[in-house]
Amino acid sequence: MMNYPLTLTNLLKRGTTLFPQKEIVSRELDGTIVRLNYGEFYRRTAQLANALRELGITKNKRVGTLAWNTHRHLELYFAVPCMGATYHTVNIRLSPKDIIFIINHAEDEILFIDGDLLPLLEAIKNQIQVKTFVVMGNQKKYNTTLSLINYEDLIAKQPENYDWPELDEWDIAGMAYTSGTTGEPKGVQYTHRALVLHSIVAGLPDIMNISESTVMLHIVPMFHANAWSIPFATVMTGSKQVFTGPRATPEDMIGLIEREKVTFTAAVPVIFRMLYEYLKANPGKDISTWKNSVCGGSAPPPSLVKAFKEDFDMEIYHAYGLTETTPLITWNVPKSYMKLDDQAFYDLKTKQGLLVPLLEMRIEKSDGSEAKWNGEEMGELLVKGPWIAKEYYKDPDETFRKMTKGWFRTGDIVTIDKEGYIKIVDRIKDVIKTGGEWISSVDLENEIMAHPAVLEATVIGLPHPKWDERPLACVVLRPGMKGKVSEKDIVDFITPKFAKWWLPDKVIFIDEIPKTSVGKFDKKVLRAQFENLYQKDQE
Ligand code: ADP
């Protein structure tokens, strides 16, 4: 067979030449809806590539984006890598300190920024080396001291075609930094080859089932692991795409689902919960086209998956991955021969799922041997494959720690059942080590969150003079439930599910669980806050 490179240019050309009339819909900050078709998307992408060339962007140079999910961000997703340069999506929710670090570390040449984020840039402009800023949005004037180029002016007069270079599939297309819940952000570079192979696999029927007839709503941020690579997969298949735009509320998102007849979306559990609560509070929305979604980033509580299915006939599929893995590692779909009652079905749904095609895995116990497929033995998940990072950008020490002997260490502790379904029982740093045994904080959290009065819950291990660590449950009650539910009620509720030594020593009611920049529970904040709780008990 031919030695033919797998590049994003091929996906761009296919999508835009075969489906030129398919629609892209994007919401501006002020609520205005922009509509363009794939033909116009191609021409604008070519114009952008021409403009970037004029601005001095050449092969391998980095183009930073500080941006929401919009059609302009999609144009950057293609123009930059297809001209041979590298897009670098900066996570806008990181601290200014981290943003400064990653823009300088990546050596971005230009920054494309959405208008509402200018104050963020204004605050850090003297600490970053980038001097060229392109502002995106439909606003004409901005109140800022920054010297800005307007995106629409930048591309307006450019030719509507581009002589796309022949690329090598190993060329770098994009990069992103991990959100840094475990220390300083670490850079990951994605090759064209990785993104193309990932797009094909992500779209398979037993995975996201992305086809020409899919109407995709992009909720998962484009600054997070390539928006799970969905924008590439949907351009490849010519699917209609809907972008939520800056600062979208649940009302905005549901409005887009209703009006644009969205069939599929991707988001983290916190967003699904907000959408569910909104739908409950605002009955009568016609979301009947919305049949499936993928939930990742952290595990969705089974109660939420069930409620969406029963109340709105919308099936949430569970997927798992990391920034370093492009991100897809597993996808959860029951096998056709499985006969599952309701309970078993939702228990299965909480697992992270089956390894996706083209990857290999190893589940390594603390003694280095492999865990048995019995759903009980715990080990760290190691993976390898065509879209798994082999190194961190300019960080040999971290590379050495995480990439050993051709494997990438996920830092996730998992079990695997006899059918091959992986279940994350914890992160290596969150698993509660008590009396020489491990307790899964995640299992406890899921059961507590099934209590009808509980809005959110997290369980952390606190230092304990006798047992090393003991669990503490931090619980947020639903509005109106405060004072009506006791510590004992919560413990009694989960007692039938666990061995006695698993039960939290205390339950604390709090107003809100601190979240990381990407909406995950930030356990280190709670661990610091309650650090001495069990020490004191013993005094
Ligand atoms: P970090 O949070 O370290 O910056 P990422 O944002 O890439 O890294 O998140 C990756 C981590 O998120 C995984 O190692 C895993 O612990 C967690 N994660 C991702 N998807 C899921 C999921 N479906 N269920 C449980 N945990 C998940």
Side-chain angles (χ1 to χ4, degrees), residues 178-181 224 297-299 318-323 352 412 427 520:
T178 62
S179 54
T181 42
H224 197 221
S298 48
H318 185 187
Y320 153 68
L322 295 77
T323 304
Q352 277 62 33
D412 292 311
R427 294 199 93 171
K520 295 178 194 183

Side-chain angles (χ1 to χ4, degrees), residues 118-190:
L118 287 172
L120 197 158
L121 183 58
E122 186 94 51
I124 63 169
K125 66 174 186 226
N126 296 327
Q127 292 162 77
I128 54 177
Q129 87 291 347
V130 189
K131 296 293 168 249
T132 309
F133 305 116
V134 181
V135 68
M136 301 186 285
N138 60 350
Q139 210 172 311
K140 288 278 169 289
K141 277 213 154 52
Y142 295 93
N143 187 11
T144 176
T145 62
L146 292 157
S147 152
L148 300 171
I149 304 172
N150 185 296
Y151 184 93
E152 297 300 329
D153 297 341
L154 175 74
I155 66 168
K157 302 226 161 53
Q158 296 292 343
E160 293 182 343
N161 210 339
Y162 189 86
D163 189 12
W164 304 105
E166 269 186 34
L167 300 172
D168 190 308
E169 63 181 15
W170 295 101
D171 283 343
I172 305 299
M175 72 182 301
Y177 283 70
T178 62
S179 54
T181 42
T182 54
E184 218 159 52
K186 299 170 278 283
V188 176
Q189 292 183 307
Y190 306 100

